[in-house]
Amino acid sequence: MATSSFAYQVFATVVDKHTFIAAAETLNITPSAVSHSISQLETQLGFPLFIRSRTGVTLTADGNTVYPIIQDILNSEQRLAQEAANINGLTHGTIRIGAFSSVLLNWLPSIIREFRQQYPDINITVYQGNFNDIAERVRLGTLDMGFSALPLDESIVIHPLIKDEVYCLTPTDFVPKNGHVMTSADVADKTFILQHSDYDRDTKLTLDRYNVTPNSLNYSIDDASIISMVEAGLGFGVLPDLALKRISGNINIYPFDEPHYRTLCLAVNKSLAQAPTTTRLTRIIRENLSREYGDKLLWQ
């Protein structure tokens, strides 16, 4: 069965954009051309790929099964093009990287600036998401690489980066009983304000240690809004060190009596890990973080 790579690109774009119209705009073709390409691909494969509705399309179970395979084909073609350009002495292409908010604020500006200085013809696109979202997109290949936190699926290449300590945020009128660290007695019956996406990883482990129940949780939008709500006396917050570097407020910040950490990492799609643009960017990421963290960087 011979199928053009463009048909695969149309399919992947529809999955990403959720409608034929949005996919057509992205690919600069007509919606009817998108529909025709998908219909041809469905005929060649022998089963429907999408469930169509007035609001858009969703993958069928069979479509969901072949999606990562088709994405692997597209990624392999991208790597081939990069290798050919590399052999011919050219440096161009696009690299897709995912990051969560504190990495976007603290790490990516200097990393991207240095990368563009060295490789001005390589385009970088940045996707913002949470740990799980980024890791899944890297696994599927819709991102070349992304920053996340351990543990992760072993089907992707993982470079551990730093152990990022988790702290407790309190209103300024609160002081721990011992004056400097938070204990179980300090957090008893307190309300905590979190991002909803955080309550399945390191934040949950920290709060579980202090017997904080889901009934004691309120949720906020982002790190800055957590600080604003703590500042207003609406509860306590839990944020890691990296998230606190570029945002501030009229609050107190205390460590826990039993230190807790999240281990940040760089996740790389396996089929793209050796692509020239990927290896160039991973090298610059490692060099940047090595300058900042020295021997505290886990990726030695």
Side-chain angles (χ1 to χ4, degrees):
M1 178 184 65
T3 303
S4 71
S5 60
F6 181 71
Y8 294 145
Q9 185 62 62
V10 171
F11 169 73
T13 305
V14 172
V15 174
D16 184 53
K17 299 300 181 181
H18 307 295
T19 71
F20 285 6
I21 293 175
E25 291 174 352
T26 300
L27 296 169
N28 198 28
I29 59 177
T30 64
S32 61
V34 170
S35 180
H36 179 69
S37 178
I38 294 299
S39 294
Q40 281 194 321
L41 184 56
E42 289 176 326
T43 299
Q44 290 175 337
L45 292 175
F47 49 80
L49 295 168
F50 293 103
I51 300 169
R52 296 156 172 83
S53 70
R54 285 181 294 179
T55 58
V57 296
T58 56
L59 282 169
T60 62
D62 292 329
N64 197 57
T65 298
V66 300
Y67 175 45
I69 300 171
I70 289 176
Q71 192 63 57
D72 279 345
I73 294 171
L74 292 172
N75 289 337
S76 294
E77 289 183 346
Q78 178 182 328
R79 182 181 173 187
L80 175 61
Q82 290 179 15
E83 289 288 3
N86 199 44
I87 291 169
N88 289 309
L90 303 173
T91 305
H92 70 271
T94 297
I95 190 160
R96 305 155 299 175
I97 186 168
F100 50 94
S101 59
S102 50
V103 164
L104 284 168
L105 287 171
N106 293 286
W107 291 354
L108 275 191
S110 60
I111 289 169
I112 292 176
R113 181 170 59 249
E114 182 174 339
F115 186 84
R116 285 179 172 166
Q117 287 172 347
Q118 295 186 29
Y119 308 105
D121 295 326
I122 298 178
N123 183 45
I124 297 180
T125 63
V126 178
Y127 170 83
Q128 182 175 355
N130 60 48
F131 295 152
N132 294 337
D133 181 28
I134 290 169
E136 179 64 8
R137 286 173 179 265
V138 170
R139 186 187 70 80
L140 290 172
T142 57
L143 291 174
D144 300 273
M145 65 177 69
F147 293 93
S148 187
L150 298 178
L152 288 183
D153 191 315
E154 294 182 357
S155 64
I156 53 184
V157 177
I158 299 169
H159 301 294
L161 299 175
I162 64 166
K163 293 178 72 66
D164 195 20
E165 186 168 1
V166 176
Y167 290 92
C168 185
L169 285 53
T170 77
T172 55
D173 60 1
F174 177 87
V175 178
K177 294 186 184 336
N178 62 26
H180 59 281
V181 297
M182 301 294 289
T183 66
S184 295
D186 294 310
V187 304
D189 302 321
K190 297 297 190 297
T191 297
F192 279 82
I193 303 161
L194 314 171
Q195 289 191 61
H196 204 289
S197 59
D198 284 344
Y199 196 60
D200 65 348
R201 282 178 173 263
D202 310 277
T203 301
K204 184 180 189 308
L205 292 175
T206 302
L207 295 180
D208 284 351
R209 160 66 180 79
Y210 293 93
N211 300 314
V212 176
T213 66
N215 292 334
S216 301
L217 303 178
N218 287 328
Y219 295 104
S220 188
I221 299 171
D222 54 29
D223 297 340
S225 62
I226 290 173
I227 290 179
S228 295
M229 294 175 76
V230 172
E231 192 174 27
L234 301 178
F236 287 9
V238 178
L239 284 176
D241 183 54
L242 188 64
L244 295 168
K245 288 187 179 298
R246 291 293 183 94
I247 52 179
S248 60
N250 189 25
I251 58 172
N252 291 337
I253 301 172
Y254 296 107
F256 290 95
D257 61 345
E258 180 183 319
H260 289 263
Y261 302 87
R262 62 178 185 177
T263 302
L264 302 184
C265 66
L266 180 69
V268 186
N269 179 271
K270 274 192 172 180
S271 66
L272 294 170
Q274 299 305 315
T277 56
T278 306
T279 57
R280 289 172 179 136
L281 183 54
T282 53
R283 173 182 58 81
I284 287 176
I285 289 171
R286 184 176 179 180
E287 290 173 353
N288 263 260
L289 297 182
S290 182
R291 287 194 293 268
E292 182 170 352
Y293 293 98
D295 58 8
K296 292 183 179 179
L297 184 68
L298 302 175
W299 184 12
Q300 297 296 332

